[in-house]
Amino acid sequence: DLSGRLTASDVPWAARFPTDPVARTALGINTSAADVVYAAVENAKAAGTWEGILATIPLRHPSQLYEGLLEGVVLMGVLWAIVGLARRTGWRLPRGSFFAFFLIGYASARGFVELYRQPDVQFTGPNDPIGYVLGTLTMGQLLSLGIGLVGVGVLAAARMGKGPGGPTQAEKAEAEAAALEEAKKKRRKKLSLVAGCSLTLCLLLLLL
């Protein structure tokens, strides 16, 4: 994945990446393949030159961590909270709405991370170091916008009643209780019928 954008040293969590172009130039390699880069780093450590090279690598935002935190932990927490709220309140989620929430949440998180992510080199130039594709949007932000709009469309279709969701936990519990009560009524009827037949048979035997 692309590394983060350059940042100042006052960002406590800023990181130096051995796959940075500055590091690759100092290591004498022209590829960002992880196995090649880390083999070159080990060689530099063995030669005692790595510390000097490390000091020349610029600090960058750890955008991979931002992405994993927002698109993984935070998004999962939000979706879990929505499900929990629906279960506690009996709120019936229309079919497809959960998927829509995921798309909207993912698009929002990814669009935010793109602010700190190194732009795709094929879209950058001398007059456009950020790599804008449409207005002030990068390719990643443009794709995120598309995903978010799809999520909004899915949510709108779900709210219009196309494909209602299944029963909530409260509705399931109510249906199970009703079914149990109906089964008890049928059992009582059977017992009453058996008792009535037995009593009739006993009377007939006494009369004979």
Side-chain angles (χ1 to χ4, degrees):
D1 195 13
L2 293 174
S3 56
R5 297 184 186 182
L6 296 174
T7 185
S9 58
D10 58 350
V11 178
W13 53 85
R16 291 184 169 91
F17 294 88
T19 54
D20 192 281
V22 174
R24 298 203 308 267
T25 300
L27 292 169
I29 57 178
N30 57 3
T31 178
S32 60
D35 54 344
V36 176
V37 171
Y38 288 107
V41 170
E42 292 300 321
N43 292 336
K45 288 180 179 179
T49 60
W50 173 243
E51 292 299 327
I53 295 173
L54 182 62
T56 65
I57 301 175
L59 291 170
R60 294 183 179 275
H61 284 283
S63 59
Q64 298 93 333
L65 296 181
Y66 300 167
E67 188 174 350
L69 179 64
L70 290 177
E71 298 174 14
V73 178
V74 174
L75 181 56
M76 182 183 68
V78 171
L79 295 177
W80 188 264
I82 291 174
V83 173
L85 179 64
R87 288 178 176 176
R88 289 193 302 271
T89 62
W91 175 34
R92 185 173 181 177
L93 290 173
R95 184 176 295 118
S97 58
F98 190 78
F99 178 59
F101 292 143
F102 168 77
L103 291 179
I104 295 171
Y106 174 83
S108 301
R110 185 57 184 264
F112 177 79
V113 170
E114 287 294 325
L115 297 173
Y116 302 95
R117 186 171 176 264
Q118 186 70 9
D120 296 290
V121 66
Q122 66 267 31
F123 300 111
T124 60
N127 299 323
D128 186 13
I130 300 300
Y132 295 125
V133 176
L134 181 64
T136 58
L137 296 177
T138 64
M139 177 56 73
Q141 290 172 329
L142 187 61
L143 294 174
S144 298
L145 178 60
I147 294 174
L149 291 176
V150 171
V152 171
V154 172
L155 183 60
R159 290 177 62 85
M160 288 173 62
K162 295 181 179 179
T168 62
Q169 292 296 324
E171 291 172 337
K172 288 182 179 179
E174 184 178 351
E176 290 176 358
L180 182 60
E181 184 63 28
E182 184 64 23
K184 289 181 179 179
K185 289 181 180 179
K186 290 181 178 180
R187 181 178 297 178
R188 286 195 293 266
K189 287 181 180 180
K190 289 181 179 179
L191 291 176
S192 298
L193 181 61
V194 170
C197 292
S198 300
L199 181 58
T200 302
L201 181 59
C202 290
L203 291 175
L204 290 174
L205 291 175
L206 290 174
L207 293 174
L208 295 175

